[in-house]
Amino acid sequence: MIQVRYSTSPASAETATTADLRESFLVGDLFVSGEARATYTHDDRMVVGGAVPADGELGLPAWTDVLGTDSHLEGRELGVINVGGAGHVVVDGEKFELEHLDGLFVGRGSEVTFVGADAAYYFVSAPAHTAYPTAALRHSEVEPVALGSAEAANERNLFRYVWGQDVKTSQLQFGVTVIASGSVWNTFPPHLHDRRTEIYCYVDLDESDRVFHFMGKPGETRHLVLRNREAVISPPWSIHAGAGTGSYAFIWAMAGENNVYTDLSPVAVEDL
């Protein structure tokens, strides 16, 4: 199953109801046992999805009616992060073991199969102009970047898996940010990516916890309330920041004009 989301203007968000915002930007119900599900957004033509193999295995669907190709990665590259228990992903016959929060970059033209009774795979794909090699990205081997502070309640570790440096991609970037115990804020103060779309997927929340995700133009912010394993699309005109009611992490993924990680515009708190 795949849904399609069309691009929206900032003006539409300013007058939208909560239901309107959720319909346009929130991506839920991605993780269903025995299925691969996704949402295609016209914002930078990204695909965000979830695959839960259960006791079998799942191929990465082509979704030809939406993508117009015979295979999903015929003209795309893929990022995968395991948000469940141990499993493995087979790429062109090669097996890659993935523990919780381990990642994988898969280049254009590859065939992908998801396996693992306890695994749940979050994936994002974006158009690619050339094929780059597959790369395994172990969470334990990625050196985190410490950000924020306990005093500001935004202490967190940024794990840059694919960010335009060590792993070559056409445009895709992704990684994981883990919020420190006792902190609540992510990506605060916020920023904009004028030349890229970014998608957040919130993970490792307890069942009763929520993240209040803030979006919109800096002077016209709105919010969405997200549960565990729900994602939110952030168009180039929107800030993206959130505060959680308990411990959590989030997967960030970007695609657009470039893969220069520092291509962003900071937003001052007084401008919110």
Side-chain angles (χ1 to χ4, degrees), residues 11-36:
S12 67
E14 292 173 12
T15 58
T17 65
T18 298
D20 291 337
L21 291 174
R22 293 177 69 86
E23 183 177 357
S24 295
F25 303 105
L26 190 144
V27 182
D29 299 324
L30 286 178
F31 298 93
V32 177
S33 181
E35 296 185 25

PDB file of all heavy atoms in Angstrom, residues 11-36:
ATOM      1  N   ALA A  11       0.729  29.194   3.113  1.00  0.00           N
ATOM      2  CA  ALA A  11      -0.532  29.865   3.435  1.00  0.00           C
ATOM      3  C   ALA A  11      -1.612  28.873   3.839  1.00  0.00           C
ATOM      4  O   ALA A  11      -2.432  29.153   4.710  1.00  0.00           O
ATOM      5  CB  ALA A  11      -0.997  30.695   2.233  1.00  0.00           C
ATOM      6  N   SER A  12      -1.602  27.685   3.238  1.00  0.00           N
ATOM      7  CA  SER A  12      -2.618  26.691   3.573  1.00  0.00           C
ATOM      8  C   SER A  12      -2.440  26.168   4.987  1.00  0.00           C
ATOM      9  O   SER A  12      -3.413  25.823   5.659  1.00  0.00           O
ATOM     10  CB  SER A  12      -2.567  25.530   2.583  1.00  0.00           C
ATOM     11  OG  SER A  12      -1.367  24.789   2.712  1.00  0.00           O
ATOM     12  N   ALA A  13      -1.199  26.106   5.459  1.00  0.00           N
ATOM     13  CA  ALA A  13      -0.947  25.625   6.817  1.00  0.00           C
ATOM     14  C   ALA A  13      -1.413  26.634   7.866  1.00  0.00           C
ATOM     15  O   ALA A  13      -1.805  26.249   8.968  1.00  0.00           O
ATOM     16  CB  ALA A  13       0.537  25.318   7.013  1.00  0.00           C
ATOM     17  N   GLU A  14      -1.371  27.910   7.529  1.00  0.00           N
ATOM     18  CA  GLU A  14      -1.726  28.941   8.500  1.00  0.00           C
ATOM     19  C   GLU A  14      -3.198  28.889   8.890  1.00  0.00           C
ATOM     20  O   GLU A  14      -3.572  29.277   9.996  1.00  0.00           O
ATOM     21  CB  GLU A  14      -1.380  30.319   7.922  1.00  0.00           C
ATOM     22  CG  GLU A  14       0.127  30.544   7.769  1.00  0.00           C
ATOM     23  CD  GLU A  14       0.448  31.841   7.048  1.00  0.00           C
ATOM     24  OE1 GLU A  14      -0.489  32.655   6.884  1.00  0.00           O
ATOM     25  OE2 GLU A  14       1.606  32.028   6.640  1.00  0.00           O
ATOM     26  N   THR A  15      -4.048  28.421   7.999  1.00  0.00           N
ATOM     27  CA  THR A  15      -5.489  28.380   8.269  1.00  0.00           C
ATOM     28  C   THR A  15      -6.021  26.958   8.399  1.00  0.00           C
ATOM     29  O   THR A  15      -7.226  26.761   8.514  1.00  0.00           O
ATOM     30  CB  THR A  15      -6.250  29.100   7.146  1.00  0.00           C
ATOM     31  OG1 THR A  15      -5.949  28.468   5.891  1.00  0.00           O
ATOM     32  CG2 THR A  15      -5.864  30.568   7.084  1.00  0.00           C
ATOM     33  N   ALA A  16      -5.140  25.970   8.394  1.00  0.00           N
ATOM     34  CA  ALA A  16      -5.567  24.574   8.428  1.00  0.00           C
ATOM     35  C   ALA A  16      -6.072  24.167   9.805  1.00  0.00           C
ATOM     36  O   ALA A  16      -5.584  24.651  10.832  1.00  0.00           O
ATOM     37  CB  ALA A  16      -4.406  23.672   8.021  1.00  0.00           C
ATOM     38  N   THR A  17      -7.040  23.270   9.826  1.00  0.00           N
ATOM     39  CA  THR A  17      -7.462  22.648  11.074  1.00  0.00           C
ATOM     40  C   THR A  17      -6.450  21.574  11.457  1.00  0.00           C
ATOM     41  O   THR A  17      -5.580  21.198  10.663  1.00  0.00           O
ATOM     42  CB  THR A  17      -8.840  22.007  10.921  1.00  0.00           C
ATOM     43  OG1 THR A  17      -8.738  20.914   9.976  1.00  0.00           O
ATOM     44  CG2 THR A  17      -9.872  23.010  10.425  1.00  0.00           C
ATOM     45  N   THR A  18      -6.581  21.062  12.663  1.00  0.00           N
ATOM     46  CA  THR A  18      -5.700  19.968  13.090  1.00  0.00           C
ATOM     47  C   THR A  18      -5.836  18.780  12.153  1.00  0.00           C
ATOM     48  O   THR A  18      -4.847  18.145  11.767  1.00  0.00           O
ATOM     49  CB  THR A  18      -6.030  19.558  14.530  1.00  0.00           C
ATOM     50  OG1 THR A  18      -5.795  20.667  15.400  1.00  0.00           O
ATOM     51  CG2 THR A  18      -5.167  18.393  14.979  1.00  0.00           C
ATOM     52  N   ALA A  19      -7.061  18.458  11.777  1.00  0.00           N
ATOM     53  CA  ALA A  19      -7.296  17.338  10.861  1.00  0.00           C
ATOM     54  C   ALA A  19      -6.636  17.589   9.510  1.00  0.00           C
ATOM     55  O   ALA A  19      -6.059  16.668   8.906  1.00  0.00           O
ATOM     56  CB  ALA A  19      -8.796  17.108  10.691  1.00  0.00           C
ATOM     57  N   ASP A  20      -6.690  18.826   9.025  1.00  0.00           N
ATOM     58  CA  ASP A  20      -6.052  19.163   7.758  1.00  0.00           C
ATOM     59  C   ASP A  20      -4.539  18.975   7.839  1.00  0.00           C
ATOM     60  O   ASP A  20      -3.914  18.428   6.914  1.00  0.00           O
ATOM     61  CB  ASP A  20      -6.354  20.623   7.381  1.00  0.00           C
ATOM     62  CG  ASP A  20      -7.806  20.863   7.018  1.00  0.00           C
ATOM     63  OD1 ASP A  20      -8.495  19.900   6.622  1.00  0.00           O
ATOM     64  OD2 ASP A  20      -8.258  22.021   7.147  1.00  0.00           O
ATOM     65  N   LEU A  21      -3.949  19.445   8.927  1.00  0.00           N
ATOM     66  CA  LEU A  21      -2.500  19.311   9.093  1.00  0.00           C
ATOM     67  C   LEU A  21      -2.086  17.849   9.141  1.00  0.00           C
ATOM     68  O   LEU A  21      -1.095  17.450   8.516  1.00  0.00           O
ATOM     69  CB  LEU A  21      -2.053  20.018  10.377  1.00  0.00           C
ATOM     70  CG  LEU A  21      -2.130  21.543  10.392  1.00  0.00           C
ATOM     71  CD1 LEU A  21      -1.781  22.072  11.776  1.00  0.00           C
ATOM     72  CD2 LEU A  21      -1.199  22.148   9.345  1.00  0.00           C
ATOM     73  N   ARG A  22      -2.825  17.042   9.860  1.00  0.00           N
ATOM     74  CA  ARG A  22      -2.487  15.629   9.973  1.00  0.00           C
ATOM     75  C   ARG A  22      -2.616  14.926   8.620  1.00  0.00           C
ATOM     76  O   ARG A  22      -1.792  14.071   8.265  1.00  0.00           O
ATOM     77  CB  ARG A  22      -3.369  14.954  11.027  1.00  0.00           C
ATOM     78  CG  ARG A  22      -3.089  15.441  12.447  1.00  0.00           C
ATOM     79  CD  ARG A  22      -4.019  14.802  13.455  1.00  0.00           C
ATOM     80  NE  ARG A  22      -3.751  13.385  13.638  1.00  0.00           N
ATOM     81  CZ  ARG A  22      -2.840  12.885  14.483  1.00  0.00           C
ATOM     82  NH1 ARG A  22      -2.109  13.714  15.225  1.00  0.00           N
ATOM     83  NH2 ARG A  22      -2.664  11.595  14.600  1.00  0.00           N
ATOM     84  N   GLU A  23      -3.637  15.287   7.878  1.00  0.00           N
ATOM     85  CA  GLU A  23      -3.839  14.667   6.563  1.00  0.00           C
ATOM     86  C   GLU A  23      -2.729  15.032   5.589  1.00  0.00           C
ATOM     87  O   GLU A  23      -2.318  14.217   4.759  1.00  0.00           O
ATOM     88  CB  GLU A  23      -5.187  15.089   5.995  1.00  0.00           C
ATOM     89  CG  GLU A  23      -5.521  14.434   4.663  1.00  0.00           C
ATOM     90  CD  GLU A  23      -6.888  14.808   4.149  1.00  0.00           C
ATOM     91  OE1 GLU A  23      -7.612  15.544   4.858  1.00  0.00           O
ATOM     92  OE2 GLU A  23      -7.247  14.384   3.040  1.00  0.00           O
ATOM     93  N   SER A  24      -2.200  16.249   5.690  1.00  0.00           N
ATOM     94  CA  SER A  24      -1.186  16.717   4.747  1.00  0.00           C
ATOM     95  C   SER A  24       0.235  16.323   5.133  1.00  0.00           C
ATOM     96  O   SER A  24       1.060  16.039   4.256  1.00  0.00           O
ATOM     97  CB  SER A  24      -1.259  18.247   4.614  1.00  0.00           C
ATOM     98  OG  SER A  24      -2.484  18.651   4.052  1.00  0.00           O
ATOM     99  N   PHE A  25       0.542  16.304   6.439  1.00  0.00           N
ATOM    100  CA  PHE A  25       1.938  16.196   6.855  1.00  0.00           C
ATOM    101  C   PHE A  25       2.272  14.982   7.719  1.00  0.00           C
ATOM    102  O   PHE A  25       3.429  14.564   7.749  1.00  0.00           O
ATOM    103  CB  PHE A  25       2.338  17.473   7.613  1.00  0.00           C
ATOM    104  CG  PHE A  25       2.149  18.724   6.820  1.00  0.00           C
ATOM    105  CD1 PHE A  25       1.099  19.589   7.080  1.00  0.00           C
ATOM    106  CD2 PHE A  25       3.014  19.044   5.786  1.00  0.00           C
ATOM    107  CE1 PHE A  25       0.911  20.745   6.334  1.00  0.00           C
ATOM    108  CE2 PHE A  25       2.850  20.210   5.038  1.00  0.00           C
ATOM    109  CZ  PHE A  25       1.787  21.055   5.313  1.00  0.00           C
ATOM    110  N   LEU A  26       1.325  14.434   8.436  1.00  0.00           N
ATOM    111  CA  LEU A  26       1.622  13.305   9.319  1.00  0.00           C
ATOM    112  C   LEU A  26       1.527  11.996   8.549  1.00  0.00           C
ATOM    113  O   LEU A  26       0.579  11.782   7.778  1.00  0.00           O
ATOM    114  CB  LEU A  26       0.660  13.296  10.507  1.00  0.00           C
ATOM    115  CG  LEU A  26       1.005  12.305  11.626  1.00  0.00           C
ATOM    116  CD1 LEU A  26       0.646  12.904  12.987  1.00  0.00           C
ATOM    117  CD2 LEU A  26       0.274  10.979  11.459  1.00  0.00           C
ATOM    118  N   VAL A  27       2.488  11.115   8.766  1.00  0.00           N
ATOM    119  CA  VAL A  27       2.504   9.802   8.121  1.00  0.00           C
ATOM    120  C   VAL A  27       2.452   8.740   9.215  1.00  0.00           C
ATOM    121  O   VAL A  27       3.405   8.562   9.974  1.00  0.00           O
ATOM    122  CB  VAL A  27       3.758   9.609   7.251  1.00  0.00           C
ATOM    123  CG1 VAL A  27       3.724   8.247   6.560  1.00  0.00           C
ATOM    124  CG2 VAL A  27       3.880  10.726   6.225  1.00  0.00           C
ATOM    125  N   GLY A  28       1.325   8.052   9.314  1.00  0.00           N
ATOM    126  CA  GLY A  28       1.155   7.022  10.335  1.00  0.00           C
ATOM    127  C   GLY A  28       0.865   5.665   9.719  1.00  0.00           C
ATOM    128  O   GLY A  28       0.786   5.514   8.495  1.00  0.00           O
ATOM    129  N   ASP A  29       0.721   4.670  10.565  1.00  0.00           N
ATOM    130  CA  ASP A  29       0.371   3.302  10.143  1.00  0.00           C
ATOM    131  C   ASP A  29       1.342   2.728   9.121  1.00  0.00           C
ATOM    132  O   ASP A  29       0.944   1.986   8.211  1.00  0.00           O
ATOM    133  CB  ASP A  29      -1.057   3.268   9.581  1.00  0.00           C
ATOM    134  CG  ASP A  29      -2.097   3.680  10.614  1.00  0.00           C
ATOM    135  OD1 ASP A  29      -1.915   3.337  11.793  1.00  0.00           O
ATOM    136  OD2 ASP A  29      -3.076   4.351  10.239  1.00  0.00           O
ATOM    137  N   LEU A  30       2.622   3.050   9.261  1.00  0.00           N
ATOM    138  CA  LEU A  30       3.618   2.502   8.350  1.00  0.00           C
ATOM    139  C   LEU A  30       4.041   1.088   8.727  1.00  0.00           C
ATOM    140  O   LEU A  30       4.480   0.324   7.861  1.00  0.00           O
ATOM    141  CB  LEU A  30       4.862   3.397   8.336  1.00  0.00           C
ATOM    142  CG  LEU A  30       4.768   4.734   7.611  1.00  0.00           C
ATOM    143  CD1 LEU A  30       6.075   5.505   7.751  1.00  0.00           C
ATOM    144  CD2 LEU A  30       4.418   4.546   6.144  1.00  0.00           C
ATOM    145  N   PHE A  31       3.914   0.739  10.000  1.00  0.00           N
ATOM    146  CA  PHE A  31       4.483  -0.514  10.484  1.00  0.00           C
ATOM    147  C   PHE A  31       3.375  -1.507  10.810  1.00  0.00           C
ATOM    148  O   PHE A  31       2.812  -1.515  11.902  1.00  0.00           O
ATOM    149  CB  PHE A  31       5.367  -0.243  11.702  1.00  0.00           C
ATOM    150  CG  PHE A  31       6.540   0.652  11.392  1.00  0.00           C
ATOM    151  CD1 PHE A  31       6.449   2.026  11.576  1.00  0.00           C
ATOM    152  CD2 PHE A  31       7.717   0.128  10.881  1.00  0.00           C
ATOM    153  CE1 PHE A  31       7.515   2.856  11.272  1.00  0.00           C
ATOM    154  CE2 PHE A  31       8.790   0.949  10.574  1.00  0.00           C
ATOM    155  CZ  PHE A  31       8.690   2.323  10.771  1.00  0.00           C
ATOM    156  N   VAL A  32       3.071  -2.350   9.839  1.00  0.00           N
ATOM    157  CA  VAL A  32       2.026  -3.358   9.956  1.00  0.00           C
ATOM    158  C   VAL A  32       2.646  -4.719   9.688  1.00  0.00           C
ATOM    159  O   VAL A  32       3.332  -4.914   8.674  1.00  0.00           O
ATOM    160  CB  VAL A  32       0.873  -3.080   8.971  1.00  0.00           C
ATOM    161  CG1 VAL A  32      -0.179  -4.181   9.053  1.00  0.00           C
ATOM    162  CG2 VAL A  32       0.249  -1.717   9.251  1.00  0.00           C
ATOM    163  N   SER A  33       2.437  -5.659  10.591  1.00  0.00           N
ATOM    164  CA  SER A  33       3.060  -6.974  10.488  1.00  0.00           C
ATOM    165  C   SER A  33       2.760  -7.637   9.144  1.00  0.00           C
ATOM    166  O   SER A  33       1.615  -7.704   8.705  1.00  0.00           O
ATOM    167  CB  SER A  33       2.563  -7.868  11.627  1.00  0.00           C
ATOM    168  OG  SER A  33       3.178  -9.146  11.560  1.00  0.00           O
ATOM    169  N   GLY A  34       3.831  -8.083   8.481  1.00  0.00           N
ATOM    170  CA  GLY A  34       3.698  -8.786   7.219  1.00  0.00           C
ATOM    171  C   GLY A  34       3.506  -7.899   6.011  1.00  0.00           C
ATOM    172  O   GLY A  34       3.232  -8.394   4.914  1.00  0.00           O
ATOM    173  N   GLU A  35       3.673  -6.582   6.173  1.00  0.00           N
ATOM    174  CA  GLU A  35       3.420  -5.658   5.070  1.00  0.00           C
ATOM    175  C   GLU A  35       4.558  -4.657   4.901  1.00  0.00           C
ATOM    176  O   GLU A  35       5.300  -4.378   5.840  1.00  0.00           O
ATOM    177  CB  GLU A  35       2.122  -4.874   5.297  1.00  0.00           C
ATOM    178  CG  GLU A  35       0.863  -5.714   5.320  1.00  0.00           C
ATOM    179  CD  GLU A  35      -0.380  -4.852   5.425  1.00  0.00           C
ATOM    180  OE1 GLU A  35      -0.341  -3.665   5.009  1.00  0.00           O
ATOM    181  OE2 GLU A  35      -1.393  -5.351   5.939  1.00  0.00           O
ATOM    182  N   ALA A  36       4.622  -4.113   3.684  1.00  0.00           N
ATOM    183  CA  ALA A  36       5.446  -2.944   3.395  1.00  0.00           C
ATOM    184  C   ALA A  36       4.503  -1.830   2.976  1.00  0.00           C
ATOM    185  O   ALA A  36       3.696  -2.010   2.056  1.00  0.00           O
ATOM    186  CB  ALA A  36       6.446  -3.240   2.289  1.00  0.00           C
TER     187      ALA A  36
END
